[in-house]
Amino acid sequence: MQFLRVTKQYLPHVARLCLISTFLEDGIRMWFQWSEQRDYIDGTWNCGYFLASIFVFINLFGQLSGCILVLSRNFVQYACFGLFGIIALQTIAYSILWDLKFLMRNLALGGGLLLLLAESRSEGKSMFAGVPTMRESSPKQYMQLGGRVLLVLMFMTLLHFDMNFFSILQNIVGTALIILVAIGFKTKLAALTLVIWLFGINIYFNAFWTVPAYKPMHDFLKYDFFQTMSVIGGLLLVVALGPGGVSMDEKKKEW
């Protein structure tokens, strides 16, 4: 693909920036909405101001430090594990576990982190290029498979069950692309198409900048916007790195 040849040097950097954008935005939001977040956690769990403040601090420090480490390419694996922990903590604290749409989006976000973890493992292995090892890439391959499968959960939340022609067409095309990415067939092209489709949907439906900041809808749209950008980042990693060993594309090479 001509696009990949032109952007090969820059695409992984753009992918990582998109991927951590939701953590960056949420960490900054914790700083500016410290008292509101603390009061919400205290009111929901009745845990007291001290524990609620600890929760907000962990979210703020964990997310911002994780983003800095990922962007600087230092201790990326530890940063990924820390961000996994933040996702799990928020899933419980904000009762996301019982909201299927938000749960699927959080799992998709975890899929993006899995792909980032796989990328960091491959960078570590490259230092020992040429040294024979036994099945060194297996964990990376299964991380890429898990990341791809989890990423497509994001698109399950975008399917519309209306009976108009546009919705039906969007569902058919979207489902086909989702399946291609999940099984790893024509993966880079399918993932790039999903990036373009998802970016268009994100700009159109989650335009938080058109809503006044004092309205609750502003924060909801902003949250959705950056979470979607993170999934776009995960898909861009698929475009940049390929589907990995556990995929139809890889099996075709053996045939």
Side-chain angles (χ1 to χ4, degrees):
M1 291 170 66
Q2 183 64 28
F3 173 80
L4 290 178
R5 283 192 288 271
V6 173
T7 61
K8 185 178 181 180
Q9 185 177 354
Y10 310 103
L11 199 57
H13 300 291
V14 175
R16 287 191 289 268
L17 180 60
C18 289
L19 184 53
I20 59 95
S21 63
T22 192
F23 299 106
L24 188 61
E25 186 276 330
D26 198 51
I28 293 170
R29 185 167 61 89
M30 290 289 168
W31 174 263
F32 287 105
Q33 296 183 3
W34 179 286
S35 57
E36 292 94 326
Q37 294 297 323
R38 180 199 61 201
D39 292 346
Y40 174 82
I41 293 298
D42 182 29
T44 303
W45 293 96
N46 196 27
C47 59
Y49 268 28
F50 178 74
L51 287 178
S53 297
I54 293 293
F55 170 84
V56 178
F57 175 77
I58 289 172
N59 273 272
L60 188 155
F61 179 77
Q63 290 183 105
L64 293 184
S65 61
C67 291
I68 291 168
L69 290 176
V70 168
L71 290 178
S72 64
R73 311 304 297 141
N74 291 308
F75 304 104
V76 176
Q77 295 188 30
Y78 295 108
C80 287
F81 288 128
L83 293 174
F84 275 126
I86 295 292
I87 292 175
L89 185 64
Q90 291 189 351
T91 299
I92 296 168
Y94 293 112
S95 302
I96 292 172
L97 204 58
W98 316 118
D99 187 319
L100 187 60
K101 178 182 175 182
F102 281 106
L103 178 61
M104 290 175 79
R105 290 191 172 200
N106 266 19
L107 288 172
L109 195 55
L113 287 176
L114 264 181
L115 292 169
L116 189 59
L117 195 57
E119 184 207 19
S120 70
R121 284 183 66 91
S122 66
E123 285 183 348
K125 296 293 185 184
S126 68
M127 292 189 297
F128 304 99
V131 179
T133 54
M134 294 294 290
R135 299 177 60 83
E136 65 177 11
S137 59
S138 284
K140 178 196 168 188
Q141 290 176 359
Y142 289 111
M143 283 178 194
Q144 287 177 287
L145 172 63
R148 290 199 324 267
V149 172
L150 288 175
L151 270 183
V152 302
L153 292 177
M154 178 71 175
F155 298 91
M156 302 297 290
T157 69
L158 299 176
L159 297 178
H160 300 285
F161 298 99
D162 304 326
M163 293 311 293
N164 63 69
F165 175 76
F166 180 75
S167 291
I168 293 171
L169 180 64
Q170 180 177 304
N171 288 348
I172 292 172
V173 174
T175 302
L177 291 170
I178 287 169
I179 293 170
L180 289 177
V181 170
I183 66 174
F185 183 71
K186 299 289 184 185
T187 317
K188 291 187 176 185
L189 180 60
L192 184 58
T193 306
L194 281 175
V195 164
I196 295 168
W197 178 43
L198 192 54
F199 185 74
I201 289 174
N202 202 25
I203 293 294
Y204 184 77
F205 287 108
N206 294 326
F208 65 90
W209 52 88
T210 63
V211 179
Y214 63 85
K215 291 190 174 181
M217 184 55 68
H218 176 89
D219 282 344
F220 280 115
L221 291 177
K222 194 175 183 181
Y223 175 81
D224 270 1
F225 179 86
F226 282 103
Q227 200 167 48
T228 305
M229 287 303 298
S230 289
V231 174
I232 287 174
L235 285 167
L236 284 174
L237 276 181
V238 174
V239 175
L241 304 175
V246 188
S247 64
M248 294 288 289
D249 287 341
E250 196 66 27
K251 293 300 178 186
K252 278 197 306 178
K253 295 177 185 177
E254 297 177 6
W255 299 338

